Amino acid sequence: ECDAGAYQGKSNQTACEACVRGHYCEEGAPVPTACAAGSYSNASDLKSQAECTVTDAGHYSTTGSIDQTVCSPGTAAPNASMGMCDKCVGGKYQPKLGAKRCESCLLGHYCPQGASRPVACPDGTYSKVTDPPSKGACTPTEPGHYATAGSEDQTKCSPGTVAPNASMGVCVRCVPGTYQDTPGQTECKACRPGFYCQEGASA
């Protein structure tokens, strides 16, 4: 029989062959056996699965690997001996290589499954939610308010501007001949007799 760490799969041979990298060969092996997922080896004389090296946290290896592979952005491996990295769940993200855990999404953003970076809520929406998994968690602004992309909250329109509709990313300036002296309004007021009002007038 071939000694452990070698194999022979052919008939009528006079010598055994060295085991294959990423595999081990028990005594009398006709073929090499692959190191299990979550382990690897660059050696060619392994005698058992116990001699395969387990992966580190933040890494993975598939069956028969000769080395471990670092987890890509958007994934993490919290434990050793992992055959694949876990995708970040919705509401989490990971921008780095070789992560052990995913990060919480940022306010004003959302993070779909497997996100490598947070996605900003679009103009006209905002989010105070922790760990939102989708754009549906972004809240439309109310009339009289606006929100730029990535906002954590809506903001009242300043005097001289208005937001007649919901979901506005910017307030519009009052046209000449009108004004608005109160924040958070939906329409401008007509200028008063004896006065004039330039564009964006607050008084």
Side-chain angles (χ1 to χ4, degrees), residues 89-92 105 109-113 115 129-138:
V89 299
K92 305 280 186 182
C105 202
H109 297 69
Y110 63 95
C111 295
Q113 183 184 33
V129 178
T130 302
D131 297 341
S134 68
K135 188 167 67 172
C138 300

Side-chain angles (χ1 to χ4, degrees), residues 5-195:
Y7 78 104
Q8 183 51 259
K10 300 175 184 178
S11 301
N12 303 322
Q13 300 302 304
T14 60
C16 297
E17 298 182 28
C19 203
V20 178
R21 294 190 305 165
H23 296 67
Y24 62 92
C25 296
E26 296 177 333
E27 185 179 0
V31 292
T33 303
C35 289
S39 66
Y40 64 96
S41 177
N42 193 33
S44 58
D45 60 353
L46 298 193
K47 302 173 178 63
S48 68
Q49 170 65 44
E51 294 183 328
C52 297
T53 305
V54 299
T55 60
D56 299 323
H59 298 73
Y60 75 99
S61 65
T62 55
T63 303
S65 294
I66 63 173
D67 202 356
Q68 61 183 352
T69 303
V70 67
C71 290
S72 60
T75 68
N79 306 309
S81 303
M82 293 192 66
M84 63 183 298
C85 302
D86 297 329
K87 280 187 177 182
C88 294
V89 299
K92 305 280 186 182
Y93 77 104
Q94 180 49 255
K96 300 175 183 177
L97 292 167
K100 298 177 183 177
R101 63 181 180 84
C102 297
E103 306 292 335
S104 293
C105 202
L106 304 179
L107 294 178
H109 297 69
Y110 63 95
C111 295
Q113 183 184 33
S116 60
R117 61 178 179 81
V119 182
C121 287
D123 286 342
T125 66
Y126 64 96
S127 177
K128 300 178 182 180
V129 178
T130 302
D131 297 341
S134 68
K135 188 167 67 172
C138 300
T139 304
T141 60
E142 300 170 357
H145 298 73
Y146 74 98
T148 55
S151 293
E152 298 178 17
D153 204 350
Q154 61 182 356
T155 303
K156 287 183 178 181
C157 293
S158 58
T161 67
V162 295
N165 305 310
S167 302
M168 293 192 66
V170 63
C171 299
V172 295
R173 292 161 65 90
C174 291
V175 299
T178 67
Y179 77 104
Q180 182 50 260
D181 55 357
T182 306
Q185 300 303 303
T186 59
E187 57 183 17
C188 298
K189 303 174 184 178
C191 206
R192 292 163 53 187
F195 294 79

